[in-house]
Amino acid sequence: MKSIRVAVAAAAAGVSFLGLAACSTPVEAGAAAIVGDQRISSSDLNANVKSYQAALERANIGPDQLTAPVAQFVLFSMTNQLRYQQLADKHGVTVSETEIDAALKDPGEFQDPEMNLLSKGVSPADARDYVKAEVGIRKVMDKFGGAGNQQAAAKVQQEFNSIKTTFSPRYGTLQQGQGFVDPGRFGKPAQAAQQPQG
């Protein structure tokens, strides 16, 4: 069985420079999340989850290898995609079909295009829109000075974080560095226990 746990952790770290600041405003009925002025419906999320689960099965990867429940993992990916695309649109960035095709073949960090997509919560069968948005955000970064430029990274992060994102409470609350936390079942995120002074 392939292991995706390391891939998932690394992918989450790769996105962390674009940290997700979630809002607690209520979402409309039938919505899994609202990203800026765009809605992710529960039915769209369910369809993506089914496709992603099928891709995991084909790759012989169990959902227990993920660092979060499948629905939350895929929802996080879908919100990132919309935020990337909104920033690309704002800055007039376009991505050609040829660029998407090339990115889909890129072996990437894990030397396997399929594993790279799975580690990001994306089914390889439904990856074109996600990859388009991902290439778009890289081009936005290039407009600001490139990925190695700290000022460019800070500017893109600031704009990314300014896109209001609200999740349906059914998926929990997104906590920076902890992912989704379900306050109903697990209470507040656990704080590190203080060691007694001796």
Side-chain angles (χ1 to χ4, degrees), residues 53-160:
Q53 287 173 321
L56 288 178
E57 283 182 31
R58 283 190 300 276
N60 201 24
I61 298 170
D64 58 325
Q65 292 293 305
L66 301 177
T67 57
V70 173
Q72 292 172 343
F73 197 61
V74 172
L75 180 58
F76 184 76
S77 173
M78 292 174 75
T79 59
N80 281 338
Q81 175 185 328
L82 286 180
R83 291 171 106 180
Y84 295 161
Q85 190 59 57
Q86 288 175 24
L87 279 180
D89 292 345
K90 174 182 176 182
H91 291 283
V93 167
T94 58
V95 178
S96 70
E97 293 299 313
T98 303
E99 289 174 308
I100 296 170
D101 291 339
L104 285 167
K105 294 175 188 168
D106 182 0
E109 181 180 355
F110 302 106
Q111 302 305 306
D112 180 351
E114 181 178 298
M115 184 61 77
N116 286 321
L117 290 167
L118 291 173
S119 73
K120 296 172 185 175
V122 179
S123 167
D126 302 317
R128 290 192 76 80
D129 287 341
Y130 182 87
V131 169
K132 176 183 177 185
E134 195 173 55
V135 171
I137 197 70
R138 286 188 209 130
K139 291 174 91 171
V140 169
M141 181 74 76
D142 290 343
K143 283 183 96 168
F144 287 128
N149 183 312
Q150 289 183 348
Q151 289 179 329
K155 175 68 173 162
V156 172
Q157 179 176 348
Q158 178 185 20
E159 291 200 23
F160 183 88

